[in-house]
């Protein structure tokens, strides 16, 4: 249906153009004409040809457009694709930065990412007037949508205590979610692995999420357990699917993975669970970053949830507890050992926990406790197996995401790495699958009207990249090296990257979700 519609629109635009030429009326020049590239339109077969842009929209595509243009970009030998869409990224601080250059989000633009979501993992500020309104006064380089975060809301109402909400507190959380949805939030995100969100029961999450579901929102979840910490990976997937079903809303599983030695090889079983839910008619999707190491904090990786009850000060008072040490030893085993945890910030930056322990001349758990007494540094945790990564990646309901967070190369290289490693080198995906799952799938899933495809009438979010050189340069040791191979990026019709260099143009927009249902 989508392909026929696109073909019909294209045919109409060509007929109008032909009629104008027969009448001797030359159409006004388009603003940008991208000529001669291999166009992957999103959801359709590629063709070699041209793309014309006027204002913020694509106005024509074709094998050879006879149009004049204020700017013509030679894309011969290049891939022309819809701007990539990242449904899970922690770049809210960049988008709200007082520094104009930071707000461009250059690590994303240099990969061809033109739209992202923020507020994931339950951390999203529910004040949508502030979050979505800031782009009007502080221009940004990319488009963005925002989730309201269950963790932020629960902390605001209950604090960090490990207890159930009172009826009044639950009602207050529901009102906050309703207001956030009416302010343009795309849905509710959770991070049920993290305290204090982990203290919430399934029923509590459903009761809060239902307010987003009533208003057409999505349930986005960092599930309760991606490993074997508490309920286990399989049960956590079941819970996420059940929450979406009971709350009457689509479920989106954040950065789907099988984390740690106890669950390696479980990807096929998890895929079967999601496939079964989809076969029953439930809307379940996921995103995935193309790295074997996750990014988290030392506390989140090793400290049991019971010890985090009450926040950091309470945790510090428990660091001498023998039970805590026993649980940390077990959690370190699940993570694959001390040499599989790389500290990525602070005084021990670029050292594994094993190296820190050797330097301190103590065992790894004692070294972790000593480090946590000072701070809770970010870590890269090498905890996934390539066969699981590839199995998830092949699923048509898994889209590309970055989970971009400081200290990890996924900020600067996720989309470029997925292409270079999993398309060109390992051939896990075809080029068309990569593009569709890096742009079109997210746009269609989250109903980003007018985005995710190259077709007349669509917003001109476009990336032009060199298929021979597009790749990540960021590494775990050097995580802030920009990707290479992107020649041109348009955001809402304006050129943000030109000849491989950022122009400084800030053409991004806040994307407000149009809610259904009543508003408080």
């Amino acid at each position: 249906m989508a392909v026929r519609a696109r073909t019909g629109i294209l045919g109409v635009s060509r007929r109008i153009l032909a009629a104008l030429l027969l009448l001797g009326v030359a159409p006004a020049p388009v603003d940008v004409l991208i000529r001669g590239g291999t166009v992957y339109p999103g959801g359709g077969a590629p063709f070699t040809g041209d793309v014309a842009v006027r204002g913020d929209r694509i106005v024509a595509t074709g094998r050879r457009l006879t149009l004049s243009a204020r700017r013509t970009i030679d894309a011969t030998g290049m891939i022309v694709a819809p701007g990539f869409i990242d449904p899970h990224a922690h770049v809210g601080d960049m988008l709200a930065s007082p520094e104009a250059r930071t707000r461009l989000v250059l690590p994303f633009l240099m990969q061809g990412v033109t739209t992202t979501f923020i507020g994931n993992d339950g951390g999203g500020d529910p004040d949508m007037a502030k979050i979505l309104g800031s782009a009007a006064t502080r221009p940004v380089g990319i488009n963005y949508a925002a989730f309201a975060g269950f963790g932020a809301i629960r902390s605001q109402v209950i604090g960090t205590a490990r207890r159930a909400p009172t009826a009044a507190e639950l009602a207050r959380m529901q009102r906050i979610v309703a207001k956030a949805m009416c302010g343009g939030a795309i849905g509710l995100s959770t991070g049920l692995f993290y305290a204090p969100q982990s203290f919430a029961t399934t029923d509590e999450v459903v009761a809060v999420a239902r307010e987003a579901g009533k208003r057409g929102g999505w349930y986005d979840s960092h599930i309760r357990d991606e490993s074997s910490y508490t309920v286990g990976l399989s049960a956590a997937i079941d819970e996420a699917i059940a929450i979406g079903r009971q709350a009457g809303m689509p479920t989106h599983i954040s950065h789907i993975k099988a984390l740690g030695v106890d669950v390696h090889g479980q990807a096929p079983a998890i895929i079967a669970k999601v496939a079964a839910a989809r076969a029953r008619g439930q809307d379940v999707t996921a995103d995935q970053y193309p790295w074997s190491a996750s990014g988290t904090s030392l506390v989140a990786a090793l400290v049991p949830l019971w010890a985090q009850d009450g926040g950091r000060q309470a945790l510090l008072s428990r660091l001498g507890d023998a039970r805590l040490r026993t649980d940390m030893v077990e959690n370190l085993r699940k993570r694959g050992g001390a040499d599989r945890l790389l500290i990525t910030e602070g005084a021990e930056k670029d050292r594994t926990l094993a190296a820190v322990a050797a330097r301190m001349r103590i065992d790894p758990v004692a070294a972790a406790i000593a480090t946590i007494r000072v701070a809770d540094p970010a870590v890269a945790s090498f905890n996934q197996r390539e066969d699981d990564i590839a199995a998830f990646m092949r699923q048509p309901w898994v889209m590309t995401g970055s989970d971009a967070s400081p200290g990890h190369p996924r900020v600067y290289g996720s989309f470029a790495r997925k292409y270079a490693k999993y398309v060109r080198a390992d051939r896990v995906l075809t080029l068309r699958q990569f593009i569709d799952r890096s742009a079109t799938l997210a746009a269609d899933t989250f109903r980003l009207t007018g985005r995710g495809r190259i077709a007349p009438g669509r917003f001109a979010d476009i990336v032009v990249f060199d298929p021979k050189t597009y790749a990540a340069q960021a590494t775990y040791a050097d995580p802030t090296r920009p990707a290479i191979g992107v020649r041109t990026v348009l955001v809402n019709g304006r050129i943000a990257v030109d000849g491989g260099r950022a122009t400084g143009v800030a053409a991004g927009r806040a994307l407000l979700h149009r809610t259904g249902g009543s508003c408080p």
Side-chain angles (χ1 to χ4, degrees):
M1 181 68 74
V3 173
R4 288 198 297 271
R6 182 179 64 84
T7 303
I9 293 170
L10 180 55
V12 170
S13 66
R14 284 174 173 164
R15 288 195 295 273
I16 292 172
L17 177 59
L20 288 171
L21 292 173
L22 285 172
L23 292 170
V25 178
V30 296
D31 295 317
V32 179
L33 181 63
I34 302 171
R35 186 173 300 283
T38 301
V39 180
Y40 282 76
F47 65 92
T48 300
D50 307 339
V51 179
V53 174
R54 181 179 290 119
D56 64 356
R57 302 278 178 158
I58 296 165
V59 294
T61 65
R63 303 286 179 186
R64 182 71 180 181
L65 297 177
T66 54
L67 292 168
S68 62
R70 294 182 176 88
R71 172 71 190 278
T72 299
I73 296 171
D74 183 2
T76 304
M78 300 292 110
I79 302 298
V80 182
F84 300 142
I85 299 170
D86 188 340
H88 189 114
H90 300 282
V91 294
D93 287 347
M94 295 180 74
L95 290 164
S97 172
E99 300 295 330
R101 184 171 177 82
T102 301
R103 294 197 304 274
L104 294 175
V105 197
L106 294 178
F108 279 20
L109 283 176
M110 297 310 297
Q111 296 178 75
V113 177
T114 58
T115 300
T116 192
F117 295 177
I118 60 173
N120 308 86
D121 293 343
D125 186 336
D127 185 351
M128 290 298 127
K130 178 179 73 174
I131 300 302
L132 296 173
S134 65
T137 55
R138 292 182 167 183
V140 296
I142 61 175
N143 306 308
Y144 68 99
F147 286 100
F150 175 69
I153 294 166
R154 195 178 202 273
S155 296
Q156 180 179 327
V157 175
I158 299 176
T160 58
R162 185 172 189 164
R163 66 172 178 83
T166 65
E169 288 170 336
L170 182 61
R172 184 180 168 199
M173 287 193 284
Q174 291 170 326
R175 288 194 298 273
I176 293 171
V177 172
K179 183 178 179 181
M181 291 300 302
C182 292
I186 199 166
L188 179 75
S189 76
T190 63
L192 299 182
F193 174 72
Y194 300 108
Q197 297 177 71
S198 57
F199 304 149
T201 65
T202 301
D203 288 344
E204 178 187 331
V205 179
V206 169
V208 175
R210 191 174 285 125
E211 294 302 313
K214 290 176 183 176
R215 295 165 177 84
W218 282 261
Y219 176 67
D220 173 81
S221 185
H222 178 141
I223 59 176
R224 196 176 292 272
D225 194 352
E226 297 174 325
S227 184
S228 56
Y229 279 85
T230 53
V231 300
L233 172 61
S234 181
I237 291 288
D238 287 341
E239 181 188 40
I241 293 171
I243 289 170
R245 183 178 65 251
Q246 294 174 36
M249 58 199 303
T251 293
H252 184 76
I253 299 166
S254 294
H255 40 63
I256 194 167
K257 65 172 76 70
L259 184 158
V261 296
D262 290 348
V263 295
H264 285 167
Q266 289 190 16
I270 301 307
I271 289 166
K273 283 181 178 291
V274 175
R278 288 170 60 86
R280 293 191 298 267
Q282 189 173 349
D283 189 350
V284 184
T285 54
D287 62 69
Q288 177 197 39
Y289 51 77
W291 305 88
S292 60
S294 63
T296 188
S297 75
L298 193 58
V299 167
L302 297 182
V303 175
L305 292 173
W306 65 263
Q308 300 179 51
D309 182 4
R312 178 167 174 80
Q313 289 305 311
L315 167 61
L316 292 175
S317 71
R318 299 181 181 117
L319 289 180
D321 191 312
R323 177 186 167 199
L324 174 70
R325 177 180 171 84
T326 299
D327 286 356
M328 288 180 68
V329 168
E330 173 62 6
N331 288 343
L332 184 58
R333 181 197 66 78
K334 293 172 182 178
R335 291 272 172 173
D339 62 341
R340 308 300 291 170
L341 281 177
L342 176 69
I343 297 174
T344 59
E345 68 176 1
E348 304 294 351
K349 187 177 185 294
D350 296 334
R351 292 191 180 101
T352 65
L353 181 59
V356 173
R359 184 183 65 77
M360 293 182 173
R361 298 183 179 180
I362 53 179
D363 68 81
V365 169
I369 290 172
T371 301
I372 289 167
R373 288 189 188 279
V374 178
D376 179 20
V379 297
S381 175
F382 294 83
N383 50 43
Q384 297 175 68
R385 224 166 61 179
E386 282 294 331
D387 58 337
D388 286 325
I389 293 172
F392 286 126
M393 192 175 289
R394 291 189 181 99
Q395 305 313 306
W397 39 267
V398 175
M399 59 196 74
T400 312
S402 71
D403 195 13
S405 55
H408 196 294
R410 61 194 182 189
V411 180
Y412 283 78
S414 290
F415 286 75
R417 173 182 167 85
K418 185 169 181 175
Y419 169 77
K421 176 173 173 57
Y422 293 102
V423 177
R424 292 198 71 196
D426 296 352
R427 300 186 183 277
V428 173
L429 297 178
T430 66
L431 175 54
R432 176 174 167 179
Q433 288 172 330
F434 163 71
I435 290 171
D436 285 355
R437 295 173 195 179
S438 297
T440 314
L441 179 57
D444 290 354
T445 296
F446 294 99
R447 301 173 200 156
L448 301 182
T449 304
R451 303 188 192 273
R453 282 181 168 79
I454 292 178
R458 298 273 177 165
F459 287 102
D461 293 341
I462 301 170
V463 55
V464 180
F465 66 89
D466 186 337
K468 297 178 180 178
T469 62
Y470 182 47
Q473 294 191 108
T475 65
Y476 295 103
D478 189 4
T480 60
R481 296 182 67 193
I484 56 174
V486 166
R487 298 294 183 85
T488 305
V489 177
L490 274 69
V491 179
N492 296 308
R494 299 179 65 192
I495 299 175
V497 176
D498 192 6
R501 296 186 177 184
T503 64
V505 167
R509 297 173 182 172
L511 305 180
L512 278 68
H513 174 62
R514 300 304 177 187
T515 186
S518 61
C519 286

